[in-house]
Amino acid sequence: MIKRVLHILILVLTTILPITAQINENDTRTQVADSRFKSLQIRFDGNDYFPPIIILNSEDRIRISFDELDDEHSYLRYSVVHCNADWTPSDLVESEYVEGFNYADIIDYKHSIGTLCNYVHYSFTLPNDDIKLLISGNYLVRIYAEDDPETTLLQARFYVCENAVSIAASTTSRTDIDYNNKHQQVSFSVDTKNYAIRNMYTDLKAFVSQNNRTDNEVMIDRPLMVSGKSITYDHNRNLIFEAGNEFRRIETVAQHGISMGVERMQYHHPYYHAILYTDHIRANESYIYDKTQMGRFTIRNSEAHDSDNGSEYIITHFTLDTEGKIYNGKIYLNGEFTNNLFTPTTMMKYDQATGLYTADLLLKQGAYNYQYLFVPEGSTRGYSSIEGNKYQTVNEYLIRLYHRDVASRYDRLIGFAITFSGK
């Protein structure tokens, strides 16, 4: 009992005290550097289940939202950085990709109402009257204090596409290495009849991601075949992905009741605590379909009028039983709520006394998709050895096609497609 109380006190202190890590300017991954900021979401405005990709010069907008754990709002600004296809910052000057000044104040905010944990909810959309985007490609939005523009507090990736070519994509479990077993294979073809490409074998790069993960994203720099105006990407070993398993789900939508995956709710000043049911290895279990958000999370409090500023922050306790310690690597929680990063905060810690892996995260009330990924020592890629690989799993694959010829100074995003496995 004493050990448990001490653990809660340490957890609360580390949650309340702000921790800021300096982001390397070449690290363009979506992430939060200052622990005061939580619940970062990057959305296609109007559709929470669509990837953060918009069409250049259209009415499409990207919506970015987040919270700051504080009583008063901060004076925050944002700017954008144009990046190459591989997410390294491009060599363009700001005037080449942004019209006007490349900064704007975040003026849309609201304070939490009726919550034990006070916070400020911020949101804004891009492009807007202050920042107009001139070209296609990868973009990183940086958020910083008005009086300290050199220190990034949080940052987020999104895409702007020209939609100059059409891409037809499909996914199959009948792969080049197994048949309806543990993998899924992506193939796609590109119709370039309305867009000129000098050399289709050398001037294009295709990137394919699974459920918005970056650790297992692949780049294809050469198609299988070119026939007239049609380009085919198929039978490529790099286009074969681990099938994984359906995401696990929890809901913390009612702090005064029990929701999906929650064994019990407790209150230890100053936070509510959601103690989740213990998870187990699923690798040897049969496949079971479960409706998925493809790793995303949705903020919701069933007892609040406005979930954005009426949802409580709850310390959520994850527990995983692996029937003993797993060596030669680490286990991480993975999902949009972790920004798909493998960090000390999202790493499962092995408790020698209980024989269980645990992780405690301060999460806003809502519905969360998550999975456990095993990252071998010396690797930066996660594997589904705990969840298992089921060929029937529904995964979302995003294909992005970039073009740069010898005369270009940046990678144009000329087309994209989304394909789902298991459907």
Side-chain angles (χ1 to χ4, degrees):
M1 181 64 181
I2 295 176
K3 182 179 178 182
R4 180 63 178 169
V5 171
L6 287 173
H7 174 74
I8 290 173
L9 286 173
I10 293 170
L11 179 61
V12 168
L13 285 173
T14 56
T15 300
I16 293 175
L17 296 175
I19 300 173
T20 304
Q22 185 66 37
I23 298 178
N24 186 298
E25 64 178 7
N26 292 318
D27 186 352
T28 59
R29 296 174 298 175
T30 294
Q31 59 188 294
V32 177
D34 190 311
S35 63
R36 293 174 301 163
F37 296 92
K38 306 287 184 182
S39 304
L40 174 62
Q41 291 184 311
I42 311 96
R43 295 287 191 258
F44 180 94
D45 194 29
N47 186 346
D48 288 347
Y49 301 102
F50 194 80
I53 184 167
I54 59 176
I55 304 303
L56 183 66
N57 298 324
S58 73
E59 297 299 315
D60 296 346
R61 296 293 180 268
I62 293 293
R63 176 169 294 278
I64 297 172
S65 62
F66 57 92
D67 295 337
E68 180 184 14
L69 305 188
D70 210 332
D71 297 334
E72 300 296 332
H73 81 276
S74 297
Y75 293 94
L76 301 176
R77 282 183 173 173
Y78 61 92
S79 59
V80 296
V81 178
H82 189 270
C83 296
N84 298 315
D86 63 359
W87 283 106
T88 56
S90 68
D91 293 328
L92 302 179
V93 297
E94 291 181 347
S95 60
E96 293 181 278
Y97 60 87
V98 173
E99 180 181 303
F101 295 106
N102 185 15
Y103 67 86
D105 297 323
I106 302 179
I107 58 175
D108 188 354
Y109 62 86
K110 48 189 176 183
H111 295 269
S112 58
I113 298 176
T115 59
L116 296 173
C117 176
N118 294 330
Y119 60 88
V120 183
H121 178 74
Y122 301 87
S123 66
F124 62 93
T125 59
L126 281 168
N128 52 48
D129 291 339
D130 295 311
I131 294 183
K132 296 181 174 64
L133 306 177
L134 300 177
I135 61 175
S136 67
N138 293 352
Y139 281 87
L140 180 76
V141 57
R142 293 180 55 249
I143 299 164
Y144 49 88
E146 180 183 59
D147 58 358
D148 187 10
E150 301 302 317
T151 302
T152 302
L153 299 173
L154 57 164
Q155 62 187 29
R157 291 176 170 184
F158 67 96
Y159 312 97
V160 177
C161 181
E162 296 180 27
N163 222 20
V165 300
S166 60
I167 302 176
S170 63
T171 308
T172 181
S173 57
R174 299 181 292 275
T175 77
D176 291 346
I177 61 174
D178 56 17
Y179 186 94
N180 288 351
N181 192 357
K182 295 182 178 182
H183 296 86
Q184 296 168 349
Q185 185 162 339
V186 176
S187 61
F188 55 99
S189 60
V190 182
D191 185 346
T192 66
K193 63 182 178 182
N194 296 317
Y195 184 80
I197 301 173
R198 184 185 62 85
N199 189 325
M200 297 184 186
Y201 281 105
T202 62
D203 295 351
L204 298 174
K205 289 181 181 179
F207 285 76
V208 183
S209 59
Q210 181 193 60
N211 301 323
N212 202 38
R213 285 172 57 182
T214 56
D215 62 297
N216 66 345
E217 184 178 61
V218 298
M219 187 273 287
I220 311 298
D221 59 3
R222 190 173 180 86
L224 172 70
M225 180 176 62
V226 173
S227 178
K229 294 290 185 177
S230 179
I231 311 171
T232 301
Y233 293 82
D234 199 0
H235 297 293
N236 188 312
R237 180 63 183 85
N238 289 332
L239 290 175
I240 300 176
F241 292 79
E242 277 194 332
N245 205 340
E246 302 296 347
F247 281 92
R248 302 174 193 252
R249 291 195 293 156
I250 58 165
E251 292 186 358
T252 54
V253 298
Q255 71 258 37
H256 299 109
I258 302 301
S259 303
M260 178 186 297
V262 179
E263 182 178 6
R264 63 187 185 277
M265 295 289 294
Q266 297 178 344
Y267 177 74
H268 300 284
H269 182 77
Y271 293 112
Y272 278 96
H273 292 247
I275 290 83
L276 308 181
Y277 285 104
T278 299
D279 289 320
H280 299 270
I281 294 176
R282 298 192 294 171
N284 296 321
E285 297 178 1
S286 299
Y287 170 79
I288 299 177
Y289 171 76
D290 190 16
K291 187 176 181 181
T292 178
Q293 300 181 86
M294 309 300 175
R296 299 178 177 92
F297 69 94
T298 302
I299 299 301
R300 188 166 72 89
N301 179 358
S302 61
E303 301 168 343
H305 173 70
D306 185 345
S307 291
D308 285 341
N309 67 333
S311 296
E312 191 65 76
Y313 270 89
I314 295 174
I315 295 182
T316 308
H317 300 265
F318 294 84
T319 307
L320 173 65
D321 185 358
T322 58
E323 300 180 358
K325 188 173 183 179
I326 295 178
Y327 295 91
N328 302 318
K330 296 180 174 62
I331 301 171
Y332 290 88
L333 276 169
N334 177 257
E336 183 194 33
F337 71 104
T338 71
N339 297 313
N340 292 296
L341 299 178
F342 305 134
T343 67
T345 302
T346 62
M347 185 181 74
M348 303 294 292
K349 286 82 174 175
Y350 185 71
D351 187 329
Q352 195 71 42
T354 63
L356 302 174
Y357 282 91
T358 65
D360 308 312
L361 278 71
L362 185 64
L363 301 177
K364 199 173 184 180
Q365 281 182 273
Y368 288 80
N369 270 192
Y370 70 101
Q371 62 183 344
Y372 296 102
L373 293 180
F374 177 73
V375 180
E377 294 291 351
S379 176
T380 58
R381 179 172 179 171
Y383 294 87
S384 299
S385 51
I386 292 171
E387 304 293 356
N389 288 293
K390 318 296 181 181
Y391 73 87
Q392 306 98 320
T393 302
V394 179
N395 289 307
E396 175 187 281
Y397 293 94
L398 173 64
I399 298 143
R400 311 185 310 275
L401 188 67
Y402 298 85
H403 175 221
R404 181 191 289 207
D405 59 29
V406 292
S408 298
R409 296 176 51 242
Y410 71 97
D411 294 318
R412 301 171 62 173
L413 179 51
I414 60 173
F416 77 96
I418 303 168
T419 178
F420 296 92
S421 61
K423 287 190 174 183

